[in-house]
Amino acid sequence: MLPKNGGEGKNNGQNTEAATKFSMAHIQMMMENAQRQIEERKKNLQSIKNNKIANIPASAIAAADAVTAKAPAISDAERSKKIAQLQEQIRLKLSGTLANVLPPPQMVQDKPKPLILDAEGRTVDGSGRTVVVPQLTPTLKANIRAKKRESTKTQQAAERVQNDEANDTHFHDDRIALKPAIRSKRSLRFHEPGKFQQLAERMRMKAQLEKLQNEISQIARKTGISSATKLALIAPKAESHSNDVPLMEWWDSVILADDLNTFDDQGNISIRDSSITNLIEHPTQMRPPNESSRSVYLPVFLTKKERKKLRRQNRREAWKEEQEKIRLGLEPPPEPKLRISNLMRVLGTEAVQDPTKIEAHVREQMAKRQKLHEEANAARKLTDDQRRDKKMRKLKEDTTLGVHVAVYRIRELQDQQSKKFKVETNAKQLFLTGVCVLFRDCCVVVVEGGPKQQKKYRRLMLHRIKWEEDLVKNADGNEIPNACVLVWEGTNQRRNFGEFKYKSFPLEKSARDFFQKHHVEHYWDLAYSGAVLEASEDS
């Protein structure tokens, strides 16, 4: 690139040397190229200047022209200096440097400071202090995005906690730790080695134990030891203090001075004389809890002759009352009661004059009486709801003064669906409460209700259901006919069970615990002891 104006005077010596080395054709070509480049740059500068002027508003251009007109004339040295600065700016722009406006020469920054290293290779400044040089570690875009997401989540959580604390300051408890709502990922869980081998070994041992227990039970059943053992387990334990005799009864403690071992001067038991008077205390007679407080009247039973006479008298009194009302004019006299049989006797000549008309009148009167009779019957007839209530009222009984209880024992009921349905359905239809406990060789049915309900259910269990038609297997594996036995019936103060349901238990202890929970374990003891004795007799 050839210098312009002032640059030509400085490089005169260089051009002379180049002229000696190169031929005139080469020099002419270089000059043409340099002039072409200068022209192109002038055109570029002119286009840039026109663009800038186009963007400047007209008012600013007018103000600039006025300032230019007022400014003094610029000398050639200043003009050449400005041209040199413009050429330098163009060169920097073409070389790719990002600088819109070059600063003046007096504002150019100093050169970078030299790098100083100490004996250990650390960067130090001029005074000898260590300088920390920041290092940029390259990373992936995915890691940068993940860090941004984590920082955003942490910031949002902190803002949410601050808002919650600001809103719920009155209801916040510092003792309760806040757990973030983060769903933990499900991890793989592996079984420990040898786990299933232990389970298999345990199952084998259990099977061997059951086999051994079956063999022992068969031998004990043959010798009769099992029934005695079961009865001993079922028998209730006697209370430890039932046979203890107290040293002094409560009625003696009222008149004794201290106890039976305290004697007076004569050697007799010391008695408190002030407690003995001539008054006699009669205990208050209390009414039994199952006795009604209403007065009981003996019913009066009449003979058949007396009942007929009483009915005749009541009908005559009603007829006399009706005649008095007719006589006083309170009611119109009734029409004669005409029938086909008394037609001629009641009407006489009227029936002979027009018998067809009289017969139609009689038949109309008969139809009217029939209609009134049917309407009266329909008015007295109960609706479906009333009939249902009446039936329930007849079935339900008052059990406030005492509940009648019946306990039945059945050999086998688990696999007999039809009989199970009859037992449950009849208990619910009769509004009985209770339970049916299903256990091998001993199924216990307990029902609670009134005396009439128990009578109907007893007939169902002992007569209507044919238990002996089904064959069941006993403990020895022999087939025997099924049977149902009434174990016990009596009264209780209150009901111990709710709605009739079925309960199945694999162990005898579980069944007894169920009855014990309802405070009637003696029902199970009585029924199961009878089943054990019956099984021993069958074997």
Side-chain angles (χ1 to χ4, degrees):
M1 179 179 177
L2 295 176
K4 187 178 180 183
N5 297 335
E8 292 178 11
K10 293 179 182 179
N11 295 330
N12 286 332
Q14 294 177 3
N15 293 334
T16 351
E17 294 176 359
T20 57
K21 292 180 182 179
F22 299 102
S23 61
M24 294 300 292
H26 288 191
I27 294 170
Q28 187 68 26
M29 189 183 300
M30 291 173 64
M31 291 295 292
E32 292 177 358
N33 291 336
Q35 290 177 0
R36 193 183 301 111
Q37 291 178 2
I38 291 169
E39 293 295 333
E40 290 177 357
R41 287 175 185 172
K42 285 182 179 180
K43 291 179 181 179
N44 292 335
L45 288 173
Q46 189 65 28
S47 63
I48 292 170
K49 185 177 180 180
N50 294 334
N51 292 335
K52 289 182 179 179
I53 293 172
N55 294 331
I56 296 172
S59 60
I61 294 172
D65 293 340
V67 172
T68 307
K70 292 179 182 180
I74 300 172
S75 62
D76 295 338
E78 292 177 357
R79 190 182 293 108
S80 61
K81 188 177 181 180
K82 288 182 180 180
I83 291 170
Q85 289 181 0
L86 288 174
Q87 288 178 354
E88 185 66 22
Q89 290 179 7
I90 292 166
R91 186 182 65 79
L92 292 175
K93 285 184 179 180
L94 294 176
S95 63
T97 305
L98 297 176
N100 294 330
V101 179
L102 278 176
Q106 63 271 15
M107 296 181 64
V108 175
Q109 296 181 357
D110 298 335
K111 295 181 180 180
K113 295 180 180 180
L115 181 63
I116 303 173
L117 301 176
D118 59 358
E120 297 178 359
R122 295 177 296 182
T123 307
V124 295
D125 55 4
S127 60
R129 290 180 296 182
T130 305
V131 179
V132 179
V133 180
Q135 296 181 357
L136 295 176
T137 304
T139 181
L140 299 176
K141 288 285 186 180
N143 297 337
I144 296 172
R145 295 193 192 100
K147 288 183 180 179
K148 287 183 178 179
R149 283 197 297 269
E150 290 179 359
S151 62
T152 306
K153 286 182 180 178
T154 307
Q155 186 177 0
Q156 290 178 356
E159 292 177 357
R160 195 180 301 111
V161 170
Q162 291 177 0
N163 294 334
D164 294 342
E165 290 179 355
N167 296 333
D168 303 335
T169 51
H170 300 288
F171 310 100
H172 179 67
D173 193 353
D174 298 334
R175 297 172 295 177
I176 301 174
L178 295 176
K179 295 182 179 180
I182 299 175
R183 183 177 180 182
S184 59
K185 294 183 178 180
R186 185 178 298 176
S187 59
L188 295 175
R189 291 180 294 178
F190 299 95
H191 294 288
E192 297 180 0
K195 177 181 177 181
F196 294 100
Q197 294 178 1
Q198 293 178 2
L199 291 175
E201 189 66 26
R202 198 176 302 162
M203 292 172 66
R204 292 191 200 97
M205 291 178 64
K206 187 176 180 181
Q208 291 178 1
L209 182 61
E210 289 180 354
K211 183 178 179 181
L212 185 61
Q213 287 179 351
N214 291 333
E215 292 177 357
I216 294 172
S217 62
Q218 289 178 3
I219 296 171
R221 196 180 297 111
K222 291 178 181 178
T223 56
I225 299 173
S226 62
S227 59
T229 306
K230 289 181 179 179
L231 289 176
L233 292 173
I234 295 170
K237 296 180 180 179
E239 297 292 338
S240 59
H241 59 275
S242 59
N243 297 326
D244 295 344
V245 179
L247 296 176
M248 182 175 57
E249 300 291 348
W250 63 270
W251 50 81
D252 294 334
S253 63
V254 178
I255 61 175
L256 292 178
D258 192 2
D259 55 8
L260 293 173
N261 297 326
T262 305
F263 300 97
D264 56 4
D265 298 337
Q266 288 79 18
N268 298 326
I269 299 174
S270 179
I271 297 176
R272 191 182 298 123
D273 296 332
S274 60
S275 61
I276 300 176
T277 61
N278 58 352
L279 301 177
I280 300 174
E281 181 180 359
H282 297 280
T284 305
Q285 293 185 359
M286 300 178 66
R287 184 179 58 84
N290 58 350
E291 183 179 339
S292 177
S293 59
R294 293 175 295 183
S295 57
V296 179
Y297 299 98
L298 292 175
V300 178
F301 297 99
L302 302 177
T303 62
K304 187 176 181 179
K305 187 176 181 180
E306 289 173 342
R307 290 197 299 272
K308 284 185 176 181
K309 182 178 179 181
L310 185 63
R311 181 173 179 271
R312 189 167 55 250
Q313 289 176 354
N314 292 336
R315 289 169 64 88
R316 186 169 183 83
E317 290 294 331
W319 179 78
K320 286 183 178 180
E321 184 178 357
E322 188 177 356
Q323 291 296 323
E324 286 293 333
K325 290 180 180 179
I326 294 171
R327 189 178 296 112
L328 294 173
L330 300 176
E331 289 183 1
E335 296 181 0
K337 190 175 182 179
L338 298 176
R339 294 190 295 273
I340 300 297
S341 58
N342 65 355
L343 177 64
M344 299 300 295
R345 187 175 63 254
V346 174
L347 297 178
T349 56
E350 294 180 5
V352 174
Q353 292 176 0
D354 195 351
T356 305
K357 182 180 178 181
I358 295 302
E359 183 181 358
H361 176 68
V362 171
R363 292 191 180 278
E364 182 182 355
Q365 193 180 30
M366 291 170 59
K368 185 178 180 181
R369 288 199 303 269
Q370 181 70 20
K371 183 179 179 182
L372 290 175
H373 177 71
E374 292 176 354
E375 288 178 354
N377 288 344
R380 288 194 302 270
K381 186 179 179 181
L382 300 177
T383 61
D384 295 340
D385 295 338
Q386 292 175 343
R387 192 182 302 107
R388 191 182 302 109
D389 294 341
K390 180 181 178 181
K391 187 176 181 180
M392 290 173 61
R393 193 167 54 252
K394 289 177 68 176
L395 289 175
K396 287 184 178 180
E397 298 183 58
D398 186 15
T399 57
T400 55
L401 301 177
V403 182
H404 289 253
V405 185
V407 181
Y408 301 90
R409 185 185 73 248
I410 307 170
R411 284 183 178 175
E412 183 62 40
L413 191 60
Q414 295 184 1
D415 300 331
Q416 301 177 13
Q417 299 299 329
S418 62
K419 291 181 174 55
K420 283 175 66 176
F421 176 78
K422 292 178 182 178
V423 170
E424 182 183 9
T425 305
N426 281 270
K428 290 183 177 180
Q429 287 178 351
L430 293 172
F431 302 100
L432 293 169
T433 59
V435 70
C436 178
V437 174
L438 302 176
F439 185 70
R440 63 177 185 276
D441 301 333
C442 181
C443 297
V444 182
V445 178
V446 180
V447 286
E448 302 168 334
K452 293 181 181 179
Q453 296 168 331
Q454 292 290 355
K455 182 179 178 181
K456 293 178 181 293
Y457 200 77
R458 189 187 310 116
R459 178 163 179 79
L460 169 77
M461 297 293 288
L462 301 180
H463 299 285
R464 289 171 55 193
I465 299 179
K466 307 301 179 184
W467 301 100
E468 60 277 1
E469 293 179 354
D470 301 324
L471 297 177
V472 297
K473 291 184 178 181
N474 58 3
D476 297 332
N478 301 326
E479 290 187 351
I480 56 175
N482 199 2
C484 177
V485 181
L486 176 62
V487 178
W488 177 82
E489 61 178 348
T491 57
N492 201 350
Q493 190 173 0
R494 59 182 180 83
R495 297 177 185 265
N496 295 295
F497 297 96
E499 186 181 0
F500 191 89
K501 292 181 180 179
Y502 280 98
K503 295 287 183 180
S504 180
F505 297 100
L507 300 176
E508 184 268 337
K509 187 178 184 303
S510 303
R512 192 177 190 280
D513 291 343
F514 173 75
F515 281 97
Q516 189 175 6
K517 177 184 176 183
H518 292 83
H519 310 288
V520 286
E521 62 272 12
H522 51 281
Y523 292 172
W524 173 258
D525 295 340
L526 191 61
Y528 190 62
S529 60
V532 171
L533 293 175
E534 187 177 358
S536 62
E537 291 176 0
D538 294 340
S539 60

